[in-house]
Amino acid sequence: MKVLKGARLIDGTGARPVEGAMIVIRGNRIEAVSTKNQGEWPREAEIIDVSGMTVLPGLIDCHDHMANHRYDLAHRWGIDEPESTRHLRTAAVLRQTLLAGYTMVRDAAGLDSGFKRAIEEGLAEGPRLVLSISIISPIGGIGDAMSPSGDCCCVPRDPLLPSGVVETQGDIRPVVRRMVRAGADVIKCATTGGASSRPGHGPRDGAFNLDETQALVEEAHALDRRVMCHELGGRGLGFAIEAGVDSIEHGCYLDE
């Protein structure tokens, strides 16, 4: 048992901060919150004086890319450092994120299931993770890493991050299933261009059509997975909404 004594408590409900709170923690659960000094605690209780400090619920980041540390092309293509160094860097970022107060992160592609397992088994420190594994998009979409000459990226893909590139409508359901098999808790797709797109494929330009988006959402929901959709604006927005995606990511150019 731990007792946090003298905290300024923000409980996340919108209520005003509570001064001088006593927070009783047993195991990994908050057992009680009081503004009165109980005086007598079990002998094994660890009393931690946090007077002058603020205690609040863990923060939740609903869209991040924890394995993407820089935006230069060499890093995005994985040719700037060994994979082992990259993974250790990601582990350090996860720990820093937890220490910054984030206790849950929904990763929007790039983080494989091994990091979630390592955290759950105590091998590494980090927030609880909700994974999408890889972004699903059509040929030429934001998940299709190609050189300007049209060649595939020169570095083999990480087998723990299956390709999300869809060639035909018939490929959509198997790709969703592969993401779930690889450990996806949520399905990430794109119905527009945007950051990381090929030249000329802008944030209002479409990617999947309505039938393709509907097939993706149907399959994800059949597997009890929600769909987070990279969508900035334009006709792809209408497709995403009509198909029933669960969240619009970015939405920079939402219209009426």
Side-chain angles (χ1 to χ4, degrees):
M1 173 188 286
K2 294 182 179 180
V3 179
L4 306 184
K5 176 182 178 181
R8 176 187 299 107
L9 174 66
I10 297 175
D11 64 9
T13 66
R16 294 180 62 83
V18 176
E19 302 291 341
M22 305 286 290
I23 304 166
V24 181
I25 302 172
R26 189 184 298 274
N28 61 355
R29 297 280 182 176
I30 296 175
E31 185 175 276
V33 176
S34 173
T35 56
K36 297 180 180 180
N37 190 341
Q38 302 296 326
E40 295 184 2
W41 303 100
R43 185 180 299 274
E44 70 274 10
E46 178 184 358
I47 310 299
I48 304 174
D49 189 348
V50 294
S51 300
M53 300 180 183
T54 300
V55 176
L56 70 162
L59 301 173
I60 298 173
D61 183 349
C62 289
H63 187 122
D64 213 320
H65 296 274
M66 302 302 293
N68 294 354
H69 313 127
R70 292 184 295 278
Y71 212 69
D72 59 280
L73 190 60
H75 184 76
R76 287 160 59 193
W77 277 12
I79 58 176
D80 61 332
E81 61 183 353
E83 281 297 298
S84 54
T85 305
R86 186 185 186 98
H87 291 328
L88 289 169
R89 194 182 307 280
T90 298
V93 168
L94 289 167
R95 182 175 186 273
Q96 292 164 5
T97 300
L98 178 64
L99 293 178
Y102 290 86
T103 55
M104 198 284 282
V105 170
R106 185 175 68 163
D107 191 79
L111 200 64
D112 70 64
S113 61
F115 289 100
K116 181 177 181 179
R117 179 172 178 175
I119 291 170
E120 291 175 346
E121 294 185 7
L123 300 175
E125 291 183 302
R128 294 188 300 277
L129 295 173
V130 175
L131 304 180
S132 63
I133 306 297
S134 300
I135 187 169
I136 300 176
S137 68
I139 293 175
I142 66 172
D144 190 10
M146 300 291 290
S147 70
S149 64
D151 296 326
C152 293
C153 177
C154 59
V155 177
R157 294 187 60 89
D158 183 342
L160 294 175
L161 298 173
S163 173
V165 178
V166 172
E167 296 190 8
T168 69
Q169 184 171 336
D171 297 328
I172 290 177
R173 295 179 188 274
V175 168
V176 171
R177 292 169 187 159
R178 281 197 289 272
M179 293 303 164
V180 174
R181 181 178 65 183
D185 304 299
V186 61
I187 297 301
K188 170 77 179 294
C189 69
T191 58
T192 70
S196 303
S197 293
R198 71 183 188 277
H201 190 213
R204 290 186 176 91
D205 295 328
F208 284 128
N209 62 34
L210 177 58
D211 289 342
E212 292 167 332
T213 309
Q214 286 176 329
L216 185 148
V217 172
E218 288 174 3
E219 190 62 28
H221 287 175
L223 297 173
D224 299 317
R225 299 300 192 274
R226 293 177 176 170
V227 177
M228 56 188 300
C229 181
H230 167 101
E231 160 56 58
L232 284 87
R235 65 181 181 274
L237 172 63
F239 295 158
I241 293 173
E242 187 172 349
V245 303
D246 297 285
S247 66
I248 297 294
E249 308 295 312
H250 309 305
C252 303
Y253 305 107
L254 295 179
D255 55 25
E256 70 279 359

